[in-house]
Amino acid sequence: MPQWISVRGPQSASAPVLLFLHGGPGGAEYGPRRKYLRSLEQDWLVVDWDQRGAGRSFRGDETASTLSLDRLVDDANELVGWLCRETGREKVTVVGHSFGTVLGVLLAQRAPERLAAYVGTAQVVNWALQEERSYDWTLAEARRRGHSKAVAALETLGRPAQGAYAVGVSGVEVQRRWLGTFGGVSADPRFLMRWALSILTCGSYPLRAKLRFTKGMARSMELIWPELGRRIDFARDVPRLDVPVFVFAGRTDHITDLAQIEGWFAALQAPAKRLEIVDQAGHLNLFEAPERFRAFLESTRQ
């Protein structure tokens, strides 16, 4: 299945390769990455990849047999191997955001010899538990604010089971809408809209891909989301990674909540590890605090 990548940065053979694994599933982040973190291209050979079923890689004929979590991990592994061959580097630094951290951790388990470091931002730990806590926080915040419309919508939706809502992925849209309104996605709710607009206003992204963006994300979520709640529990299944691990977290993140991240990170065994928490940032932390993230990323090279 043809997939789209962008490679931007210095031509120097000494420039390290940085592979960005976007969130979602299906939420290609080329626009936000270039808007808020373009400066990374000064020192890193930055690789943006629209995962199969996402962004410019969306075809419209994806099925459960061609788009799954295991297939995406296979793709990531193949892409890292290709990057090493094409660039002459032995290793690649991988940055995962949100759902991309699922791919990043599973990739680090499978091919540690190819990774210089794994960097997680908005790190997923237990998918089902994070969705339950996110729903609980949103409903509690709606009640605290006396927001009757939000309370009614969330109570009608109901709490997720195994990370999934009874109505399917449309339930995620309802919950995230109110979560973003109450500042649980980005510390400044207005930033969330600016972040979303950066996808639509990206000049080097074709109009056709922009128009099909949400359709691709909906299809990816439909096919992949249910298995994430059943399978992903890194506190249980990933006690060790044989690569340096760096995690960048936002204190106001109420999707991948900080308590889970801190618990997993404290117990994790790795050759080197570091956790940095940004007080005034949420789930979009690397975009909310781009200069701080850039400095954090530079520290992984030392």
Side-chain angles (χ1 to χ4, degrees):
M1 183 177 288
Q3 295 174 48
W4 180 88
I5 65 170
S6 164
V7 183
R8 294 174 179 268
Q11 297 302 307
S12 169
S14 62
V17 178
L18 179 69
L19 172 60
F20 186 78
L21 303 177
H22 65 69
E29 294 177 312
Y30 177 76
R33 205 285 301 163
R34 293 225 72 218
K35 177 177 177 63
Y36 296 104
L37 292 165
R38 186 176 301 197
S39 63
L40 294 179
E41 298 166 14
Q42 297 173 13
D43 303 306
W44 299 77
L45 197 61
V46 182
V47 182
D48 293 286
W49 165 42
D50 283 12
Q51 300 156 20
R52 69 168 63 207
R56 292 180 72 167
S57 297
F58 175 61
R59 293 159 52 98
D61 59 355
E62 289 83 357
T63 65
S65 64
T66 61
L67 181 55
S68 66
L69 177 59
D70 289 336
R71 181 64 259 184
L72 288 174
V73 177
D74 289 342
D75 287 348
N77 188 38
E78 292 168 11
L79 178 54
V80 167
W82 183 87
L83 289 170
C84 289
R85 290 192 301 273
E86 290 294 312
T87 66
R89 273 64 160 190
E90 293 183 1
K91 296 185 178 184
V92 171
T93 295
V94 170
V95 174
H97 176 233
S98 190
F99 169 71
T101 68
V102 174
L103 301 185
V105 168
L106 296 177
L107 177 62
Q109 277 191 316
R110 180 180 299 190
E113 71 282 358
R114 287 177 169 174
L115 269 59
Y118 164 69
V119 182
T121 66
Q123 177 66 52
V124 171
V125 177
N126 180 318
W127 193 277
L129 182 59
Q130 79 177 25
E131 290 304 315
E132 292 170 4
R133 290 184 176 179
S134 185
Y135 173 86
D136 291 345
W137 184 90
T138 310
L139 180 56
E141 190 66 10
R143 288 171 174 164
R144 185 185 71 82
R145 297 182 183 214
H147 200 305
S148 58
K149 185 177 180 180
V151 170
L154 292 165
E155 288 182 340
T156 300
L157 179 63
R159 198 168 189 256
Q162 284 193 313
Y165 290 94
V167 297
V169 296
S170 64
V172 181
E173 298 172 8
V174 173
Q175 189 269 338
R176 293 295 196 268
R177 185 184 314 127
W178 293 114
L179 180 67
T181 299
F182 299 146
V185 179
S186 54
D188 177 359
R190 295 169 298 181
F191 179 82
L192 178 57
M193 180 58 69
R194 296 196 297 271
W195 178 88
L197 285 174
S198 70
I199 297 172
L200 299 176
T201 58
C202 180
S204 53
Y205 222 58
L207 179 61
R208 183 172 182 269
K210 293 175 183 177
L211 294 175
R212 289 160 55 89
F213 184 93
T214 55
K215 188 175 182 179
M217 188 169 182
R219 185 62 174 156
S220 294
M221 291 178 66
E222 177 188 346
L223 292 173
I224 299 171
W225 193 283
E227 69 174 310
L228 296 171
R230 296 192 300 267
R231 290 180 54 181
I232 300 305
D233 183 354
F234 292 151
R236 177 192 65 201
D237 299 332
V238 186
R240 175 186 178 88
L241 287 174
D242 294 323
V243 300
V245 176
F246 301 87
V247 176
F248 195 74
R251 194 172 297 280
T252 66
D253 184 351
H254 290 285
I255 296 179
T256 52
D257 65 289
L258 186 57
Q260 282 199 73
I261 294 171
E262 289 179 316
W264 175 67
F265 187 82
L268 181 69
Q269 299 179 41
K273 62 180 187 176
R274 179 183 169 198
L275 170 64
E276 184 162 328
I277 301 168
V278 185
D279 288 334
Q280 298 302 315
H283 193 66
L284 305 178
N285 50 65
L286 70 167
F287 306 110
E288 295 173 84
E291 290 307 311
R292 185 161 172 180
F293 177 72
R294 181 181 177 184
F296 178 77
L297 192 57
E298 285 298 318
S299 74
T300 69
R301 300 171 61 181
Q302 299 173 4

